[in-house]
Structures are given as structure tokens and as C-alpha cells.
Amino acid sequence: MSTVIAHWKGGKPFAGISEATAPVTNPATGEVTGQVALATVEDARSVIGAAAAAFPEWRDTSLARRTQILFNFRELLNAKKWELAEIITAEHGKVLSDALGEISRGQEVVEYACGIAHLLKGGFTENASTKVDVYSIRQPLGPVGIISPFNFPAMVPMWFFPVAIAAGNTVVLKPSEKDPTASIWIAELWKEAGLPDGVFNVLQGGKIAVDELLENKAIKAISFVGSTPIAKYVYSTGASHGKRVQALGGAKNHAIVLPDADLDLAADAMVNAGFGSAGERCMAISALVAVGGIADDLVAKIVERTTPLKTGDGTKGADMGPLVTKAHRDKVASYVDAGEAAGATIVVDGRKVQADGGDDGFWLGPTLIDNVTTDMSIYTDEIFGPVLSVVRVETYDEALELINSNPYGNGTVIFTNDGGAARRFQNEVEVGMVGINVPIPVPMAYYSFGGWKNSLFGDTHAHGMEGVNFFTRGKAVTSRWLDPSHGGINLGFPENS
């Protein structure tokens, strides 16, 4: 009988009352390795209740104590990250080096949150009016919900919960049903680090769990990362129930390669950014915009680098692993079919890959498609797989217009040796995160992550100071301490003097 992956409530596993489960598979073999619990409304309310009960004491815990626990968590995570990487690879499929990479990027936010005492400092003005002082403070919101996607089961939650917890909030994390075990491992690590019970909780499940987080009055804010249709739903539903919401949606990330660029550097970058993590990244480059007459040479260089790549089991030295589920693999392959039918040129066909892994694994190799036009579904849709489309244009202005007219605005990059062109691009492009000769422009933790247009709903990005502001609310205090000489009555309107 498969192991049931339960919830985490009040510092320990929580089975709940629901008997409904969903299978968890190893994408490299197709084997069902466990069953994840699917919460009922009652289960969800119980987990949320634990977060609500823990909030008053955690809110009043000193910053010194909070940061000590954050430092403990950071040290434990660093010492045990291989354990977490193996869990991620077993349930998501990405290779171990990629799993370790996502943990390291998440740990950067933990380290940023260790400085929360500095980040929460307010302002103070003495004698704003005669013997009247004005100062500002930032306070936690209360219990907050995090709804995270399958593609980064460790990093994406770590974009949010270190800052939320350090600021004095309690957390309910709702991970993806496809790879839920990492969240329980993280919960256990928090407990080992000394976090009080109930401050970090895990709610497993599907739409019932999500809707309860969005509607429950105890939850004060929601952080979400996922597809744009669901991001819209999360934002509108959460906001209509009075919550603060940051909902990061989908992407169609473009890379412009100008004629003066180093084509070897650009080719390396396109392979890395297009096929890393089997393309299951919201920052993956899926549209290569080749400007001028460089496309043939650039495509040849990408083929040269793609052909030797080894697709297989992420625990056995492969360059790229499987996709997360069979259904997702088939959906991505159907886009390749559609592109071929629409007249695009399949240069490298990942549908024919001979993978080094189980016969029932969810395999689709790196796929390169040339002569793609903007009316094809492989261009218009977010595919979320190892498919790199080449769009040919004649000028920089055509390339810029192509990006700016796209409904998504998550990430984009330009490859050029012309500083003026790069500076013009960063100024003119309507995208939230920009790379210059950098294929995946994910900012460091002390900056904030997030896109524009249909890639973000709400106006607050993840981590950095925007994250601190999201998980706190400001309060301004006007204070006057009366001395013994003060007295008298004056019914006039109080004036500043």
C-alpha cells in the first residue's frame, strides 16, 4: 500500500478526516510512489486554525528570537540540502544538480530574511509639532497562505515563507499535489530549528484547499505562483474576500539575439535557458528572436549543442530529466505536433528521444523548432516544456514590438555587444525582469521577483523589500507626552505650530 503524504498542523503530521488521495509518481519510471491527502473543508479549516492560534504569541516574539530561529533553519538547510534535492528529483524529475540549484536560490531568501530586524525599522520625527513626535512601525498581518506550483517545490515557497515568518506572520503552505513531500521535509526542518508549533503549517489538497485559503477570514494574505488563468482566479477570489494578494502568473519569455552578439555565447545560453529543468520554468526562454541574417548560423550552433544532451533519470547523470506527469508530457508533445502541422520546421525532435530511464517515464527530449510565426500555438501559448521556437525578424524594432505586443511580461533577455542597444532595450521593453547577455534574469533575493502585464496580478513582487512590505502593514503613531505645566481647555481646531 502506498504511503500517504499527510498535512502538517501545529508541529506534527495531521491525517485529517478525508479519505480522498491523489497519486504521486516518479516521473523517471512512471511508478506511483505515494498518495497525497486531499483536504476537505474541515481539514483545511483545522490547519488554518492552528496558524491562527499560533499567531499572537509569534507576533509578540522578539526580533532577536525570530532571527535566531531563521539562522538555525539556514544552517540546517545548508547541511541537509542533498536530502531535499533527492526528494525533489524523485517527485518532480529534474536532475539533482538542478534541484540543488533551486534550493540554493531559495536559501538566498532565507539569508535575506535573517536581516529582518534591519528591514522592519521604521522612521521617527522628533517635534513634528511642538512636543509632538511622529513615528512609523511595520507589523505582521496574521496567518498567510502560500499556494505554490509543481516546478519549484522548494524555491518558490522559499520566496515567501522566510520573509513572512521573520516578519511575525504564521504560514499555511499549499504545495502542488504532484510533488508534495518537499513541503513536509521543510516543515520538519523548521521544527528542528526551533520554530514554535503552528507557525509553519502544510495543507495538502486541490481546489477545495485553495478555495478555503482564499475565502477563510483568518487568512490575511495570499501568495500564489502558477498559470495565468489560475492566477487571475486566485487574485479575484482572494481580493473579493478582503485579502492582500500577490499572484504571479504565466510567461512567454523572449530572447533577442542581435547580429553583433557572440553567437557561441548566445547558443550556449539558449540551450541552458530553453531546456534546463525540461523547460518547466516560468523564466525559461521559449522564443528565440533572431535579428537579421544570423538565424541559420545560430540554429546550427544550437543543434550542435543540443544533439549530445542526455535525457534520462535525474539521479543517474542525465543532462535533462522527464516532465512531471504523463498528461503534461503529452500536452507539450501536442504543441510540437501542432507546430509541425502549421508549417514550422522541426530541427531537433524531442518526441523521438531515446531516454536513459524507465520505459514508462514521462520523456520528451529537447526540441528546437525553426520558422515559427506568431500565429502558431507553439508561439502564442505557454508550453512549459523543453521546446525552443525560433522566430526570424529583420530589425531590432520588429523584435521589440513582438515582445511588447505579447500579453505576458515576465522575463526577457537580449544578447549583444552594443552597450547602446542594450541600454535602449532595458528602457523600452515592457517586461518586469530583463537580462543583458544573461539567459535567466532571476534577481537576487534583496531585489524583487515579478513580471508585468498578464504575468502578475496585484502590484507586489516576491521577496526583496516588496516582499517585506507585502507581509507587513504600516502604522503611523503621533505621540505627545504632557508635562506637568500643561493644562487648560481649548475647543478650537488643533493646529500644527
Side-chain angles (χ1 to χ4, degrees):
M1 185 175 181
S2 298
T3 301
V4 175
I5 303 156
H7 317 282
W8 185 271
K9 168 193 166 186
K12 58 186 177 182
F14 171 62
I17 63 173
S18 174
E19 296 182 358
T21 61
V24 178
T25 57
N26 182 335
T29 64
E31 176 190 3
V32 174
T33 57
Q35 298 286 331
V36 62
L38 299 178
T40 63
V41 171
E42 291 77 11
D43 294 335
R45 289 176 179 171
S46 182
V47 174
I48 292 169
F55 172 65
E57 183 175 352
W58 184 242
R59 173 195 60 201
D60 294 335
T61 298
S62 71
L63 285 172
R65 176 60 181 152
R66 285 189 225 156
T67 53
Q68 180 183 12
I69 294 171
L70 261 291
F71 274 109
N72 291 345
F73 181 83
R74 187 264 180 198
E75 292 303 304
L76 288 168
L77 181 62
N78 194 50
K80 299 184 177 184
K81 58 188 175 184
W82 270 102
E83 293 179 22
L84 182 56
E86 289 172 350
I87 290 170
I88 293 168
T89 296
E91 291 186 349
H92 174 272
K94 66 179 64 178
V95 300
L96 280 169
S97 60
D98 199 21
L100 284 167
E102 81 157 272
I103 296 166
S104 296
R105 293 310 303 264
Q107 185 167 307
E108 291 171 7
V109 184
V110 177
E111 293 166 352
Y112 176 75
C114 287
I116 198 69
H118 173 73
L119 300 172
L120 291 181
K121 289 191 302 186
F124 188 95
T125 301
E126 185 180 30
N127 274 336
S129 185
T130 303
K131 297 185 179 180
V132 174
D133 304 326
V134 179
Y135 52 96
S136 63
I137 56 179
R138 299 205 67 84
Q139 295 182 320
L141 305 176
V144 300
I146 299 169
I147 304 168
S148 66
F150 73 82
N151 59 323
F152 287 104
M155 183 185 74
V156 167
M158 282 195 278
W159 282 351
F160 304 109
F161 68 67
V163 176
I165 289 172
N169 303 281
T170 55
V171 168
V172 178
L173 169 62
K174 210 301 286 183
S176 170
E177 308 96 290
K178 297 179 179 67
D179 42 16
T181 302
S183 61
I184 299 300
W185 188 94
I186 290 169
E188 293 171 343
L189 201 72
W190 272 121
K191 188 174 181 68
E192 187 177 352
L195 191 70
D197 294 345
V199 176
F200 183 84
N201 307 274
V202 178
L203 176 62
Q204 310 282 11
K207 189 175 186 299
I208 290 173
V210 169
D211 284 346
E212 187 60 30
L213 286 171
L214 297 177
E215 298 172 7
N216 193 295
K217 292 181 179 179
I219 297 294
K220 305 304 180 185
I222 293 288
S223 297
F224 170 87
V225 178
S227 69
T228 288
I230 301 177
K232 288 181 178 179
Y233 173 79
V234 166
Y235 180 74
S236 60
T237 305
S240 70
H241 285 81
K243 302 185 192 310
R244 185 178 289 187
V245 182
Q246 51 180 176
L248 282 66
K252 193 69 182 182
N253 303 318
H254 298 72
I256 292 178
V257 181
L258 296 185
D260 70 300
D262 181 327
L263 295 190
D264 288 308
L265 172 66
D268 288 342
M270 291 305 95
V271 172
N272 295 337
F275 306 137
S277 196
E280 294 173 327
R281 292 172 175 162
C282 68
M283 292 297 288
I285 295 297
S286 57
L288 164 57
V289 185
V291 179
I294 63 169
D296 288 343
D297 287 344
L298 184 55
V299 167
K301 289 178 180 294
I302 294 173
V303 171
E304 180 183 316
R305 289 156 171 78
T306 301
T307 303
L309 292 179
K310 180 180 177 182
T311 301
D313 190 328
T315 65
K316 298 178 180 178
D319 298 301
M320 193 186 86
L323 274 71
V324 69
T325 64
K326 183 180 186 301
H328 186 56
R329 182 265 172 212
D330 292 346
K331 181 180 179 181
V332 174
S334 74
Y335 277 107
V336 181
D337 297 340
E340 186 174 32
T345 305
I346 311 298
V347 182
V348 179
D349 194 343
R351 296 169 298 182
K352 301 176 181 179
V353 70
Q354 297 295 313
D356 182 13
D359 292 340
D360 295 324
F362 312 137
W363 307 113
L364 184 72
T367 301
L368 178 64
I369 307 179
D370 196 3
N371 300 305
V372 172
T373 57
T374 57
D375 59 339
M376 296 178 181
S377 62
I378 52 172
Y379 174 79
T380 59
D381 296 0
E382 182 183 28
I383 298 175
F384 223 63
V387 179
L388 179 63
S389 300
V390 181
V391 181
R392 299 177 178 226
V393 301
E394 290 301 318
T395 67
Y396 165 87
D397 288 328
E398 287 181 71
L400 180 70
E401 174 58 25
L402 192 140
I403 296 173
N404 285 349
S405 63
N406 195 276
Y408 295 109
N410 200 50
T412 189
V413 303
I414 188 169
F415 284 86
T416 180
N417 284 314
D418 185 335
R423 192 174 189 279
R424 179 182 172 190
F425 180 71
Q426 73 180 37
N427 179 58
E428 294 178 339
V429 74
E430 296 172 6
V431 172
M433 292 172 284
V434 179
I436 298 172
N437 298 319
V438 174
I440 304 177
V442 176
M444 297 295 289
Y446 39 85
Y447 287 89
S448 295
F449 179 103
W452 290 9
K453 297 186 284 190
N454 282 348
S455 294
L456 177 72
F457 300 89
D459 59 0
T460 306
H461 293 174
H463 57 71
M465 276 309 301
E466 289 193 48
V468 174
N469 291 338
F470 180 80
F471 286 116
T472 59
R473 52 186 173 181
K475 183 181 288 184
V477 180
T478 303
S479 171
R480 176 168 61 189
W481 294 100
L482 304 181
D483 61 49
S485 65
H486 179 81
I489 295 174
N490 183 347
L491 300 185
F493 193 84
E495 295 179 315
N496 292 330
S497 59

